[in-house]
Amino acid sequence: MGILEGKKLLITGVLMDSSIAFHVAKVAQEEGAEVVLTSFGRTMKITQTISRRLPTAPTVVELDVTDEEHLDTLAERLKEHVDGLDGVLHSIGFAPQGAFEFMTGTWDDVAVAMRASAYSLKALAVAALPLMENGGSIVGLTFDAKFAWPVYDWMGVAKAAFESTNRYLARDLGPKNVRANLVSAGPLRTTAAKSIPGFERFEQVWGERAPLGWDISDPVPAAKACAVLLSDWFPATTGEIIHVDGGVHIMGQ
């Protein structure tokens, strides 16, 4: 029996089969979970196509985390497919190109990044909560926000807000038996990475600095960490950030 046997999971962010979210869905199904995916707008067809590469093609529901109507109706729309949720994966992030220039980025650019990439964690949790009456787990994906990374700029600030949001969620959802944790993955060749100008600078040095080494084309280690956090195997862990980066986060200069 798999570690997610009988669990019902909502997974956001499946756009390509190279993404962490896709592999979380794949591992989850292999471990016995029933999965529902989200997408919206023009990407719905892409997600539906990619979903057929999973062991079992899941339902795809529409969700734009910056659309209040989508959030307000999410629980009711999900009830058409599942009778509850045991876990949610937040794999969402967006910033306009201007947000990747720290000194020249405008508030309009920053506000978009903050809403889509940080506030959305709280918004998604609140939207899913009515279906988590028996508790469960919310897992998000971050890129270690303790540092001022090259090229990441306002997206790095948004990730810092995202990590803080996770701690407050852990505080407020704990009494409802809902855990909130993050996985901080090393750089991977995903759709999100391609949108970051100069991302190849991470690729050049990460493997050299990682004690365990690092494969920028392998999202499975991060996906497995998410799957474990979505399971019952971390029943007393919340507000945590699990690093899946080959060990780079422990290294000095």
Side-chain angles (χ1 to χ4, degrees):
M1 187 170 71
I3 64 171
L4 290 168
E5 192 70 33
K7 299 291 188 186
K8 298 176 177 65
L9 307 178
L10 182 67
I11 295 180
T12 67
V14 173
L15 283 179
M16 300 296 293
D17 58 7
S18 59
S19 70
I20 297 174
F22 175 89
H23 286 274
V24 174
K26 183 173 184 291
V27 170
Q29 287 186 341
E30 291 169 348
E31 292 295 327
E34 180 180 352
V35 168
V36 177
L37 306 182
T38 74
S39 190
F40 71 97
R42 290 178 295 178
T43 63
M44 281 285 288
K45 289 185 178 179
I46 297 173
T47 300
Q48 289 165 343
T49 299
I50 295 298
S51 73
R52 292 194 279 273
R53 300 180 187 177
L54 291 167
T56 301
T59 297
V60 182
V61 299
E62 187 165 26
L63 176 65
D64 175 353
V65 291
T66 66
D67 186 315
E68 293 297 332
E69 183 178 355
H70 283 196
L71 292 163
D72 291 343
T73 61
L74 178 65
E76 285 301 317
R77 291 185 289 115
L78 283 173
K79 285 180 182 178
E80 299 174 10
H81 309 288
V82 292
D83 58 6
L85 287 176
D86 301 290
V88 177
L89 178 76
H90 181 289
S91 180
I92 299 165
F94 174 75
Q97 285 297 304
F100 294 103
E101 291 289 345
F102 186 78
M103 296 302 290
T104 59
T106 66
W107 170 242
D108 287 344
D109 289 337
V110 173
V112 170
M114 286 289 188
R115 184 177 186 185
S117 308
Y119 181 80
S120 62
L121 178 62
K122 174 264 184 187
L124 179 60
V126 169
L129 197 57
L131 292 179
M132 303 181 78
E133 293 181 354
N134 297 319
S137 175
I138 295 171
V139 177
L141 294 167
T142 190
F143 189 67
D144 198 331
K146 294 194 301 291
F147 307 102
W149 296 107
V151 310
Y152 214 41
D153 293 10
W154 283 105
M155 192 60 175
V157 177
K159 283 297 185 184
F162 181 75
E163 293 177 8
S164 182
T165 300
N166 178 67
R167 290 188 286 272
Y168 282 95
L169 271 183
R171 181 196 68 182
D172 289 354
L173 296 184
K176 301 179 185 297
N177 196 32
V178 175
R179 293 165 282 125
N181 294 289
L182 304 181
V183 169
S184 179
L188 293 163
R189 285 179 180 165
T190 62
T191 301
K194 291 176 182 177
S195 68
I196 301 173
F199 191 82
E200 65 277 359
R201 293 170 64 181
F202 292 113
E203 299 179 357
Q204 294 166 2
V205 301
W206 209 272
E208 299 170 3
R209 291 180 53 78
L212 290 175
W214 185 250
D215 184 348
I216 59 173
S217 62
D218 184 10
V220 173
K224 286 182 174 179
C226 292
V228 174
L229 287 170
L230 288 164
S231 78
D232 294 329
W233 282 90
F234 274 86
T237 299
T238 195
E240 189 59 87
I241 301 175
I242 305 297
H243 288 81
V244 184
D245 63 355
V248 167
H249 72 284
I250 68 167
M251 301 297 289
Q253 295 297 322

Coordinates of all heavy atoms in Angstrom, one line a residue, residues 53-84:
R53 N -0.6 12.2 -19.8 CA 0.7 11.4 -19.6 C 0.9 10.9 -18.2 O 1.9 10.2 -18.0 CB 1.9 12.4 -20.0 CG 1.8 12.9 -21.4 CD 3.0 13.9 -21.7 NE 2.8 14.5 -23.0 CZ 3.6 15.4 -23.5 NH1 4.7 15.8 -22.8 NH2 3.4 16.0 -24.7
L54 N 0.0 11.2 -17.3 CA 0.0 10.6 -16.0 C -0.5 9.2 -16.0 O -1.2 8.8 -17.0 CB -0.8 11.5 -15.0 CG -0.2 12.8 -14.7 CD1 -1.3 13.7 -14.0 CD2 1.0 12.7 -13.8
P55 N -0.2 8.4 -15.0 CA -0.7 7.0 -15.0 C -2.2 6.9 -15.2 O -2.8 6.0 -15.9 CB -0.3 6.5 -13.6 CG 0.9 7.3 -13.2 CD 0.7 8.6 -13.8
T56 N -3.0 7.9 -14.6 CA -4.4 8.0 -14.8 C -4.7 9.5 -15.0 O -4.3 10.3 -14.3 CB -5.2 7.6 -13.5 OG1 -4.9 6.2 -13.2 CG2 -6.7 7.7 -13.7
A57 N -5.4 9.7 -16.1 CA -5.7 11.1 -16.5 C -6.7 11.7 -15.5 O -7.8 11.2 -15.4 CB -6.3 11.2 -17.9
P58 N -6.3 12.7 -14.7 CA -7.2 13.3 -13.7 C -8.1 14.4 -14.2 O -7.9 14.9 -15.4 CB -6.2 13.9 -12.7 CG -5.0 14.3 -13.5 CD -5.0 13.3 -14.7
T59 N -9.1 14.7 -13.4 CA -9.9 15.8 -13.7 C -9.1 17.1 -13.6 O -8.2 17.2 -12.8 CB -11.1 15.9 -12.7 OG1 -11.9 14.7 -12.9 CG2 -12.0 17.1 -12.9
V60 N -9.4 18.1 -14.5 CA -8.8 19.4 -14.4 C -9.9 20.5 -14.2 O -10.8 20.6 -15.0 CB -8.0 19.8 -15.7 CG1 -7.4 21.1 -15.6 CG2 -7.0 18.7 -16.1
V61 N -9.8 21.2 -13.1 CA -10.8 22.3 -12.8 C -10.1 23.6 -13.0 O -8.9 23.8 -12.9 CB -11.3 22.2 -11.3 CG1 -12.0 20.8 -11.1 CG2 -10.2 22.4 -10.3
E62 N -10.9 24.6 -13.3 CA -10.4 25.9 -13.6 C -10.1 26.7 -12.3 O -11.0 26.7 -11.4 CB -11.4 26.7 -14.5 CG -10.7 28.1 -14.9 CD -11.5 28.7 -16.1 OE1 -12.7 28.4 -16.2 OE2 -10.8 29.4 -16.9
L63 N -8.9 27.2 -12.2 CA -8.6 28.0 -11.0 C -7.5 29.0 -11.4 O -6.4 28.6 -11.7 CB -8.1 27.2 -9.9 CG -7.7 28.0 -8.6 CD1 -8.8 28.8 -8.0 CD2 -7.0 27.1 -7.6
D64 N -7.9 30.3 -11.4 CA -6.9 31.4 -11.4 C -6.9 32.0 -10.0 O -7.9 32.5 -9.5 CB -7.4 32.5 -12.4 CG -6.5 33.7 -12.4 OD1 -5.6 33.8 -11.6 OD2 -6.7 34.6 -13.3
V65 N -5.7 31.8 -9.3 CA -5.7 32.2 -7.9 C -5.7 33.7 -7.7 O -5.8 34.2 -6.6 CB -4.4 31.7 -7.2 CG1 -4.5 30.2 -7.1 CG2 -3.1 32.1 -7.9
T66 N -5.8 34.5 -8.8 CA -6.0 36.0 -8.7 C -7.4 36.3 -9.0 O -7.7 37.5 -9.0 CB -5.0 36.7 -9.6 OG1 -5.3 36.5 -10.9 CG2 -3.6 36.4 -9.3
D67 N -8.3 35.4 -9.2 CA -9.7 35.6 -9.5 C -10.5 35.2 -8.3 O -10.6 34.0 -8.0 CB -10.1 34.7 -10.7 CG -11.5 35.0 -11.3 OD1 -12.4 35.1 -10.4 OD2 -11.6 35.1 -12.5
E68 N -11.1 36.2 -7.7 CA -11.9 36.0 -6.5 C -13.1 35.0 -6.7 O -13.4 34.2 -5.8 CB -12.4 37.3 -5.9 CG -11.3 38.2 -5.4 CD -10.5 37.6 -4.2 OE1 -11.1 36.8 -3.5 OE2 -9.3 37.9 -4.1
E69 N -13.7 35.1 -7.8 CA -14.8 34.2 -8.1 C -14.4 32.8 -8.2 O -15.0 31.8 -7.7 CB -15.5 34.6 -9.4 CG -16.8 33.8 -9.7 CD -17.5 34.2 -10.9 OE1 -17.1 35.2 -11.5 OE2 -18.5 33.5 -11.3
H70 N -13.2 32.5 -8.9 CA -12.7 31.2 -8.9 C -12.4 30.6 -7.5 O -12.7 29.5 -7.2 CB -11.4 31.2 -9.7 CG -11.6 31.3 -11.2 ND1 -10.6 31.0 -12.1 CD2 -12.6 31.7 -11.9 CE1 -11.0 31.2 -13.3 NE2 -12.3 31.6 -13.3
L71 N -11.8 31.5 -6.7 CA -11.5 31.0 -5.3 C -12.8 30.8 -4.5 O -12.9 29.8 -3.8 CB -10.6 32.1 -4.6 CG -9.2 32.2 -5.2 CD1 -8.6 33.6 -4.7 CD2 -8.3 31.1 -4.8
D72 N -13.7 31.7 -4.6 CA -15.0 31.6 -3.8 C -15.8 30.3 -4.2 O -16.5 29.8 -3.3 CB -15.8 32.8 -4.0 CG -15.2 34.0 -3.4 OD1 -14.3 33.9 -2.5 OD2 -15.7 35.2 -3.7
T73 N -15.7 29.9 -5.4 CA -16.5 28.7 -5.9 C -15.7 27.4 -6.0 O -16.2 26.4 -6.3 CB -17.1 29.0 -7.3 OG1 -16.0 29.2 -8.2 CG2 -18.0 30.3 -7.2
L74 N -14.4 27.5 -5.6 CA -13.6 26.3 -5.8 C -14.1 25.1 -5.0 O -14.2 24.0 -5.6 CB -12.1 26.6 -5.3 CG -11.2 25.4 -5.4 CD1 -11.0 25.0 -6.9 CD2 -9.8 25.8 -4.8
A75 N -14.4 25.2 -3.8 CA -14.9 24.1 -3.0 C -16.1 23.4 -3.6 O -16.2 22.2 -3.7 CB -15.1 24.5 -1.5
E76 N -17.1 24.3 -4.0 CA -18.3 23.7 -4.6 C -18.0 23.0 -5.9 O -18.6 22.0 -6.2 CB -19.3 24.8 -4.8 CG -20.0 25.3 -3.5 CD -20.7 24.2 -2.8 OE1 -21.4 23.4 -3.5 OE2 -20.6 24.1 -1.5
R77 N -17.2 23.6 -6.7 CA -16.9 22.9 -8.0 C -16.1 21.7 -7.8 O -16.3 20.7 -8.5 CB -16.1 23.9 -8.9 CG -17.0 25.1 -9.3 CD -16.3 26.0 -10.3 NE -15.3 26.8 -9.7 CZ -14.0 26.7 -10.0 NH1 -13.6 25.9 -10.9 NH2 -13.1 27.5 -9.4
L78 N -15.2 21.6 -6.8 CA -14.5 20.4 -6.5 C -15.4 19.3 -6.0 O -15.1 18.1 -6.2 CB -13.4 20.7 -5.5 CG -12.1 21.4 -6.0 CD1 -11.2 21.7 -4.9 CD2 -11.4 20.5 -7.0
K79 N -16.4 19.6 -5.3 CA -17.4 18.6 -4.8 C -18.0 17.8 -5.9 O -18.5 16.7 -5.6 CB -18.5 19.3 -3.9 CG -18.0 19.7 -2.5 CD -19.1 20.4 -1.8 CE -18.6 20.9 -0.4 NZ -19.7 21.6 0.3
E80 N -18.0 18.3 -7.1 CA -18.5 17.5 -8.2 C -17.6 16.3 -8.5 O -18.0 15.4 -9.3 CB -18.7 18.4 -9.4 CG -19.6 19.6 -9.3 CD -19.6 20.5 -10.5 OE1 -19.0 20.2 -11.5 OE2 -20.2 21.6 -10.3
H81 N -16.4 16.4 -8.0 CA -15.4 15.3 -8.4 C -14.9 14.6 -7.2 O -14.5 13.4 -7.3 CB -14.2 16.0 -9.1 CG -14.7 16.9 -10.2 ND1 -15.2 16.4 -11.4 CD2 -14.7 18.2 -10.4 CE1 -15.5 17.3 -12.2 NE2 -15.2 18.5 -11.6
V82 N -14.8 15.2 -6.0 CA -14.3 14.6 -4.8 C -15.1 15.0 -3.6 O -15.7 16.1 -3.6 CB -12.8 14.9 -4.5 CG1 -11.9 14.3 -5.5 CG2 -12.6 16.4 -4.4
D83 N -15.2 14.1 -2.6 CA -16.0 14.5 -1.4 C -15.2 15.2 -0.3 O -15.8 15.5 0.7 CB -16.7 13.2 -0.9 CG -15.7 12.1 -0.5 OD1 -14.5 12.4 -0.6 OD2 -16.2 11.0 -0.1
G84 N -14.0 15.4 -0.6 CA -13.1 16.1 0.4 C -11.7 16.2 -0.1 O -11.4 15.6 -1.2

